[in-house]
C-alpha cells in the first residue's frame, strides 16, 4: 500500500445547481442549494485513500461547525487527520460553487484558515508521496517540497505565483489547460512529468517537452465536474508511485477523473479503486 501525505486546503462547498451559469453582473435565480465537504487538498486526500492509498492530511480549519462538516467524509474514509490544525480565530474555508446542468462550474473561495498555514510549523515527515496544491500559501508548498524525500506531486491549482524550486523539485506537475496557459514558459523549469488535463477530451503527459503518453477518458454522463481534477491528480500520483507505466497511470487517472463527474459534490463523487477498474474494463 502506498503512503501518501497531502498538504492542502479544507473547504465546505456551498453548491448551487443552476439552469445556467450567470454572466458578470447577472442574477440567476431558481437554484437548489447543497453543502458538501470539499477543498482541493481534502478532495485529493480522500481520492487517494479511496483509490487504495494510506493517507495523512496536513491542513488548517477554523474552530467552527463548518470544520466538522468539512472533515466528516475524510474521517469516515479513514484519512489520518492528526495533522489538521484548528485555528482559534479564523473560519473554515468556504467555496461558493455554481454548477450548470452540463456539469460546468464556477468557484469562488473564501480561504479563511487555509490562508493561515505556516511553513515554519509544518513537519512533513516520511511518506512515499507528497501531494500539494495552491489553495494554501505558496511558501508552505516550497518548504514541504524542499524537505520531502519521496515522490512530489504539485497540482498548480488555482494558478498563482510559485517558487521555481517547486517546479524543479516536483516529480509530477498537474495543470489544466487554463493553468497551463497562465504559467506558459515558466513550466520549462519542470524536470519531472507535466500532466495537462483537457476535460472530457483527456490528458497528456510530457517530460522535457517530449510527449510521453496521451489518454482519453471513458465516456460517462457528467453531471458535476467539481473534484474531477483533484481525483485525476490523486489517481495519477498513486498509480505512478505504485510503479504503473506512464501510459497505464494516465489511463487510470483519466478514468478516475471521469468517474468523479458522475455524482454530485466534490467528495461524495470520489470513486473507489473498484469503480475505476470496472470503468476501465468496460472502456
Ligand atoms: O477542486 C474542487 C475544489 O475547489 C472544491 O471542492 C472547492 O472547495 C474548491 O476548493
Amino acid at each position: 500500500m502506498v503512503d501518501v501525505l497531502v498538504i492542502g486546503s479544507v473547504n465546505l462547498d456551498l453548491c448551487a445547481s443552476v439552469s445556467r451559469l450567470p454572466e458578470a453582473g447577472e442574477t440567476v435565480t431558481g437554484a437548489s442549494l447543497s453543502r458538501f465537504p470539499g477543498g482541493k487538498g481534502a478532495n485529493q486526500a480522500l481520492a487517494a485513500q479511496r483509490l487504495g492509498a494510506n493517507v495523512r492530511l496536513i491542513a488548517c480549519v477554523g474552530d467552527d461547525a463548518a470544520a466538522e462538516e468539512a472533515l466528516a467524509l475524510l474521517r469516515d474514509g479513514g484519512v489520518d487527520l492528526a495533522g489538521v490544525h484548528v485555528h482559534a480565530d479564523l473560519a473554515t474555508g468556504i467555496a461558493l460553487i455554481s454548477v450548470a446542468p452540463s456539469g460546468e462550474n464556477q468557484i469562488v473561495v473564501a480561504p479563511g484558515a487555509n490562508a493561515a498555514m505556516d511553513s515554519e510549523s509544518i513537519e512533513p515527515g516520511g511518506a512515499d508521496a507528497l501531494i500539494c496544491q495552491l489553495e494554501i500559501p505558496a511558501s508552505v508548498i516550497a518548504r514541504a517540497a524542499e524537505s520531502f524525500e519521496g515522490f512530489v506531486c504539485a497540482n498548480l491549482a488555482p494558478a498563482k505565483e510559485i517558487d521555481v524550486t517547486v517546479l524543479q523539485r516536483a516529480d509530477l506537475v498537474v495543470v489544466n489547460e487554463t493553468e497551463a496557459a497562465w504559467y506558459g514558459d515558466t513550466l520549462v523549469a519542470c524536470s519531472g512529468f507535466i500532466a495537462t488535463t483537457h476535460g472530457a477530451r483527456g490528458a497528456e503527459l510530457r517530460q522535457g517537452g517530449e510527449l510521453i503518453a496521451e489518454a482519453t477518458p471513458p465516456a460517462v454522463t457528467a453531471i458535476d465536474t467539481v473534484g474531477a481534477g483533484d481525483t485525476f491528480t490523486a489517481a495519477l500520483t498513486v498509480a505512478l508511485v505504485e510503479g504503473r507505466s506512464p501510459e497505464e497511470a494516465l489511463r487510470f487517472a483519466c478514468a478516475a477523473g471521469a468517474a468523479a463527474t458522475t455524482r454530485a459534490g466534490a467528495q461524495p463523487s470520489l470513486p473507489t479503486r473498484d469503480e475505476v477498474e470496472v470503468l476501465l474494463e468496460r472502456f
Side-chain angles (χ1 to χ4, degrees):
M1 192 185 263
V2 168
D3 283 330
V4 173
L5 169 65
V6 177
I7 301 183
S9 56
V10 172
N11 293 332
L12 180 63
D13 292 353
L14 304 181
C15 296
S17 297
V18 280
S19 53
R20 62 184 177 79
L21 300 178
E23 306 282 338
E26 188 189 15
T27 299
V28 174
T29 188
S32 61
L33 187 72
S34 310
R35 304 156 71 96
F36 298 110
K40 293 184 192 305
N43 297 346
Q44 292 174 12
L46 188 58
Q49 181 91 13
R50 287 198 182 154
L51 293 170
N54 185 30
V55 181
R56 204 153 52 84
L57 174 65
I58 295 180
C60 191
V61 295
D63 186 9
D64 52 23
E68 278 317 299
E69 211 176 333
L71 295 172
L73 293 184
L74 291 159
R75 196 166 273 131
D76 290 353
V79 173
D80 179 346
L81 300 179
V84 176
H85 174 73
V86 178
H87 198 293
D89 303 320
L90 291 171
T92 297
I94 298 284
L96 303 175
I97 304 181
S98 301
V99 182
S102 62
E104 267 186 310
N105 62 63
Q106 283 176 342
I107 305 182
V108 175
V109 176
N114 293 304
M117 283 182 77
D118 166 21
S119 58
E120 297 308 312
S121 62
I122 287 174
E123 275 311 322
D128 300 311
L130 165 68
I131 305 178
C132 44
Q133 348 62 38
L134 298 179
E135 283 187 327
I136 58 172
S139 56
V140 174
I141 311 299
R143 182 157 180 271
E146 184 193 8
S147 61
F148 188 74
E149 286 183 359
F151 183 98
V152 173
C153 168
N155 173 211
L156 305 185
K160 69 177 183 189
E161 293 292 335
I162 186 150
D163 201 304
V164 72
T165 57
V166 175
L167 305 180
Q168 291 163 342
R169 168 65 184 87
D171 299 283
L172 169 65
V173 162
V174 179
V175 284
N176 65 20
E177 290 167 301
T178 311
E179 290 145 6
W182 193 92
Y183 285 100
D185 289 344
T186 319
L187 294 180
V188 297
C190 299
S191 52
F193 291 126
I194 302 177
T196 308
T197 59
H198 301 282
R201 286 178 287 119
E204 64 189 34
L205 201 57
R206 292 182 179 271
Q207 189 166 30
E210 190 189 330
L211 183 66
I212 305 291
E214 283 178 294
T216 49
V220 294
T221 304
I223 61 160
D224 181 351
T225 57
V226 177
D230 299 327
T231 308
F232 175 92
T233 298
L236 186 57
T237 301
V238 169
L240 287 171
V241 174
E242 282 176 347
R244 295 200 189 197
S245 69
E247 292 78 10
E248 267 185 280
L250 193 66
R251 207 166 152 262
F252 180 76
C254 282
T261 68
T262 61
R263 290 190 286 258
Q267 290 179 24
S269 71
L270 302 175
T272 62
R273 178 173 287 247
D274 285 350
E275 285 176 304
V276 178
E277 298 293 0
V278 165
L279 198 55
L280 276 170
E281 273 167 27
R282 289 203 336 245
F283 182 36

